[in-house]
Amino acid sequence: MIGPLNHIGIAVPSIKDAVKPYREILGITGITKTKTLPAQGVRFCFVNLPSGQLEFIEPYGDNSPILKFLAKNPKGAQHHICFEVQDIHAAKRHMEEQGATVLSEPRIGAHGTLVIFIHPKDFTGVLIELMESPK
Ligand code: CO
């Protein structure tokens, strides 16, 4: 049911500051423009690696869901990992049948496909994002 690891999500107070060492120290040039996802209360960009992506997210708006996380991790920290699935609705059903806590209805994520998040308590403290593979 689970497809490739798509990205590792890192929540930061400032994307601009956070990508700097990836560009300057690691020499990574494949860094996407920062975009806003108002419905999810975040701004994001992707750092492209041969093996996948890092997703940097910073808060957008007063009700951003990552504000609480950043209060606990003021400098930023690894926030979630994201796996691809073929069918997000089937994945949500499967997760619920297995007793996992799905945190929201499927909604459009940073790659423009539907995503859900699974509570970290079900995966030893790691927040899991599932995203439908881009068609
Ligand atoms: Co993500």
Side-chain angles (χ1 to χ4, degrees):
M1 184 209 108
I2 286 294
L5 176 67
N6 183 276
H7 63 263
I8 295 168
I10 302 169
V12 295
S14 160
I15 288 174
K16 192 170 158 279
D17 294 344
V19 300
K20 214 172 155 213
Y22 289 85
R23 182 181 291 119
E24 293 180 3
I25 299 175
L26 297 181
I28 297 170
T29 53
I31 300 177
T32 68
K33 252 181 69 188
T34 298
K35 292 184 182 163
T36 306
L37 207 54
Q40 299 226 17
V42 294
R43 286 167 55 73
F44 68 93
C45 86
F46 287 103
V47 172
N48 295 314
L49 305 167
S51 53
Q53 291 177 310
L54 304 179
E55 176 191 52
F56 285 90
I57 49 177
E58 71 179 23
Y60 176 79
D62 295 336
N63 298 314
S64 174
I66 61 172
L67 284 172
K68 226 170 83 183
F69 180 85
L70 285 172
K72 282 187 226 152
N73 303 277
K75 292 181 176 168
Q78 190 265 315
H79 179 262
H80 65 271
I81 61 175
C82 177
F83 298 104
E84 293 183 27
V85 296
Q86 283 307 310
D87 178 335
I88 201 75
H89 299 284
K92 179 171 183 280
R93 257 195 321 276
H94 175 82
M95 288 294 154
E96 287 168 345
E97 280 164 12
Q98 297 302 313
T101 302
V102 178
L103 292 171
S104 64
E105 290 302 310
R107 54 190 180 179
I108 294 292
H111 280 296
T113 66
L114 291 169
V115 305
I116 55 174
F117 285 89
I118 316 298
H119 198 290
K121 72 182 161 83
D122 297 317
F123 288 92
T124 55
V126 177
L127 176 64
I128 302 283
E129 177 182 15
L130 300 179
M131 66 169 268
E132 211 165 79
S133 299
K135 297 284 182 301

